[in-house]
Amino acid sequence: MSRGSGAGYDRHITIFSPEGRLFQVEYAFKAVKATAITSIGVRGKDSVCVVTQKKVPDKLLDQTCVTHLFPITKYLGLLATGNTADARSLVHQARNEAAEYRFKFGYEMPVDVLSRWIADKSQVYTQHAYMRPLGVVAMVLGIDEEKGPQLYKCDPAGHFFGHKATSAGLKEQEAINFLEKKMKNDPAFSYEETVQTAVSALQSVLQEDFKATEIEVGVVRSDDRVFRVLSSEEIDEHLTAISERD
Amino acid sequence: MGDSQYSFSLTTFSPSGKLVQIEHALTAVGSGQTSLGIKASNGVVIATEKKLPSILVDESSVHKIQSLTPNIGVVYSGMGPDFRVLVRKSRKQAEQYHRLYKEPIPVTQLVRETAAVMQEFTQSGGVRPFGVSLLVAGYDDKGPQLYQVDPSGSYFSWKASAMGKNVSNAKTFLEKRYVEEMELDDAVHTAILTLKEGFEGQISEKNIEIGIIGEKKEFRQVALFIFPLCVSA
């Protein structure tokens, strides 16, 4: 007759609880929310845009080193929401993997292949007791040669899906509700509309207007294909366009 | 297959002789989305609900039904990430068999090897059982076959079976509707109706997946333009 929870270890390592849940994975999701940052990604007709908050906790900190947006290759970007240390570890491994892929196979690693690799690694941490799941939700963006702009989200449980738009972090659910209304009729956003939808979604959900230094924006466009982080001036242009529009 | 850091098994016997981690894994399967399979006289059909967490998810990026070889397909109920691991391992085993014997792997052999992997994870050090049950559908020289594999590693051959949230209603429905010499088309129709039974919300070609294998021994996913014809019944 079971003592209910396997001597209580189901909360410490990734074994099943009596209800068939993995508590460590659920706690990893909570760790993502604990950083109090919200991120949003939107896929348009010929571009993908991701936006995240940039919170610099100390005025003496060098702002350029506080970032959640990482280029993996010239053409692939990764927005990591959650524990920064886990994020850096994941990015480091992803960069290695993408570079090896290019070397081994002779062509650039596609977005969905990288996402699947990240998700499969996360799954291993949910099944083997010796490693804990990472407290990171990764949004991978890029332009696929056949399928066009792609946005994938990978979570600590090992799930990965392609998205038309998505969110991660503290206000994830509110942002998804907002985006569902915007994307209901499968609109085909242009580059400007994509960026503005992402930024205005973040502003609406957090109920504050941002300065260019308070957010980070990363984009890939079909005509350019290179992953770019927008500069403060470019972000300002978009913010001005949004406020003029409203 | 264990981890050297953990040289002891995490799945151990309770005083009553039960392996509770496996029971919890079965609970995880039971809270997964419903899937089912039906063996017909000239083929096998497997089907599953494909309910996605949001309309923002691109449903063409999600494949719950996968092929393991050209003539064997598989569907699951339970944890998606665990399913991907098993698909990858099974595909490798099938390919290794083919490399050695220059023949496609028989369905029973592949099922047995996949089940052995699942059993390993209930006994090796530092790992937990897989949180999935699989329905393997194949057509080889022995004809059409349908197997269900559980997290414990035990497997059985079925004429028709279901797994996941709605398992009891689905199985009752299948028991009533199953006919011994059913043809594949009827089986597909019955599969869709069974899914419709416990479906929360409006069933459509976007939120289910169906795979079939017929006498040509090619497993493929059904393009669901036949869908409106079936559901109107």
Side-chain angles (χ1 to χ4, degrees):
Chain A
M1 105 112 165
S2 90
R3 278 173 67 212
S5 58
Y9 285 105
D10 53 353
R11 293 186 185 270
H12 299 285
I13 52 175
T14 45
I15 57 176
F16 284 112
S17 77
E19 305 85 46
R21 292 154 66 184
L22 294 173
F23 281 117
Q24 273 294 298
V25 175
E26 296 183 16
Y27 298 160
F29 277 97
K30 292 219 177 106
V32 173
K33 288 199 189 285
T35 52
I37 302 258
T38 305
S39 310
I40 293 189
V42 178
R43 183 183 84 188
K45 192 173 54 174
D46 52 16
S47 59
V48 188
C49 172
V50 290
V51 174
T52 186
Q53 289 175 268
K54 185 168 175 163
K55 281 196 182 160
V56 184
D58 191 338
K59 283 211 198 101
L60 295 172
L61 263 180
D62 182 353
Q63 287 168 337
T64 54
C65 81
V66 177
T67 178
H68 292 88
L69 209 44
F70 303 95
I72 304 295
T73 67
K74 216 162 99 176
Y75 306 104
L76 290 177
L78 191 151
L79 173 60
T81 313
N83 188 323
T84 349
D86 288 359
R88 283 190 194 275
S89 165
L90 178 66
V91 164
H92 190 89
Q93 293 173 53
R95 284 174 173 163
N96 200 38
E97 191 62 27
E100 272 184 22
Y101 189 98
R102 171 68 183 82
F103 176 71
K104 251 203 296 191
F105 299 110
Y107 71 101
E108 293 291 334
M109 195 174 201
V111 187
D112 57 328
V113 177
L114 180 61
S115 312
R116 181 186 303 264
W117 181 83
I118 294 174
D120 285 346
K121 225 177 200 300
S122 307
Q123 191 281 339
V124 172
Y125 302 149
T126 71
Q127 196 165 26
H128 293 253
Y130 73 113
M131 294 275 276
R132 61 163 174 82
L134 293 177
V136 179
V137 166
M139 281 194 226
V140 189
L141 61 157
I143 307 289
D144 185 281
E145 277 173 14
E146 291 167 17
K147 299 184 219 155
Q150 296 279 294
L151 172 67
Y152 276 80
K153 186 169 81 169
C154 317
D155 63 26
H159 288 116
F160 80 108
F161 294 123
H163 288 268
K164 301 167 196 165
T166 190
S167 169
L170 186 58
K171 300 270 180 189
E172 175 179 342
Q173 197 46 56
E174 291 93 329
I176 288 185
N177 295 342
F178 181 94
L179 290 165
E180 276 181 0
K181 286 192 216 120
K182 285 254 167 167
M183 314 277 294
K184 210 173 14 191
N185 303 314
D186 266 329
F189 286 138
S190 69
Y191 167 65
E192 283 78 23
E193 285 172 327
T194 309
V195 178
Q196 283 170 26
T197 307
V199 176
S200 58
L202 195 61
Q203 289 190 149
S204 156
V205 156
L206 296 171
Q207 287 171 341
E208 59 180 274
D209 284 328
F210 292 116
K211 296 205 281 275
T213 48
E214 289 172 347
I215 56 174
E216 288 184 278
V217 183
V219 297
V220 275
R221 304 177 64 171
S222 290
D223 42 7
D224 196 10
R225 294 195 64 209
V226 172
F227 171 72
R228 278 197 320 116
V229 178
L230 296 187
S231 65
S232 304
E233 292 82 26
E234 289 170 302
I235 300 179
D236 253 324
E237 276 175 30
H238 290 287
L239 286 170
T240 323
I242 293 172
S243 56
E244 279 174 5
R245 193 191 62 193
D246 290 337
Chain B
M1 192 37 67
D3 302 315
S4 53
Q5 287 94 330
Y6 273 78
S7 55
F8 52 90
S9 175
L10 299 176
T11 308
T12 51
F13 286 107
S14 70
S16 61
K18 289 201 276 198
L19 289 168
V20 272
Q21 274 296 298
I22 296 180
E23 311 230 335
H24 299 337
L26 283 163
T27 314
V29 171
S31 48
Q33 290 179 13
T34 312
S35 62
L36 56 95
I38 303 178
K39 183 170 72 177
S41 58
N42 60 341
V44 193
V45 58
I46 48 179
T48 180
E49 288 179 359
K50 188 164 85 164
K51 289 246 192 70
L52 296 169
S54 160
I55 57 162
L56 297 172
V57 175
D58 187 350
E59 74 272 356
S60 61
S61 76
V62 181
H63 306 287
K64 290 185 71 174
I65 294 190
Q66 300 270 1
S67 66
L68 300 178
T69 70
N71 65 327
I72 304 177
V74 64
V75 74
Y76 75 100
S77 276
M79 300 165 71
D82 288 7
F83 174 65
R84 286 201 314 267
V85 173
L86 286 170
V87 165
R88 175 169 277 157
K89 285 194 205 276
S90 303
R91 282 174 175 166
K92 194 157 186 195
Q93 284 163 337
E95 198 50 41
Q96 282 170 345
Y97 182 100
H98 185 267
R99 203 181 77 177
L100 187 51
Y101 298 108
K102 286 279 184 274
E103 258 190 21
I105 187 170
V107 183
T108 42
Q109 298 258 51
L110 187 56
V111 168
R112 192 180 319 149
E113 292 189 15
T114 309
V117 169
M118 292 171 84
Q119 190 281 336
E120 261 180 55
F121 276 70
T122 66
Q123 202 177 11
S124 299
V127 290
R128 61 160 175 84
F130 284 97
V132 286
S133 280
L134 305 175
L135 273 173
V136 182
Y139 202 131
D140 61 9
D141 298 329
K142 298 219 178 62
Q145 291 161 75
L146 178 68
Y147 285 91
Q148 181 173 336
V149 194
D150 281 338
S152 57
S154 54
Y155 61 93
F156 297 100
S157 174
W158 291 83
K159 298 175 191 170
S161 183
M163 327 182 291
K165 262 195 275 244
N166 202 34
V167 61
S168 40
N169 286 342
K171 279 202 173 169
T172 319
F173 192 87
L174 285 171
E175 275 173 29
K176 274 192 249 164
R177 289 266 180 153
Y178 186 78
V179 180
E180 277 297 332
E181 291 309 307
M182 199 183 242
E183 296 255 314
L184 190 53
D185 297 323
D186 292 326
V188 175
H189 194 148
T190 309
I192 296 179
L193 288 174
T194 316
L195 275 182
K196 199 165 160 221
E197 267 299 288
F199 207 88
E200 286 161 20
Q202 181 69 355
I203 194 172
S204 85
E205 71 271 16
K206 285 213 168 75
N207 49 25
I208 62 171
E209 261 185 50
I210 304 189
I212 59 176
I213 179 158
E215 283 160 329
K216 282 213 189 113
K217 296 190 197 167
E218 281 161 17
F219 182 80
R220 57 185 183 81
Q221 271 211 279
V222 174
L224 287 170
F225 56 81
I226 64 167
F227 189 79
L229 305 165
C230 294
V231 168
S232 54

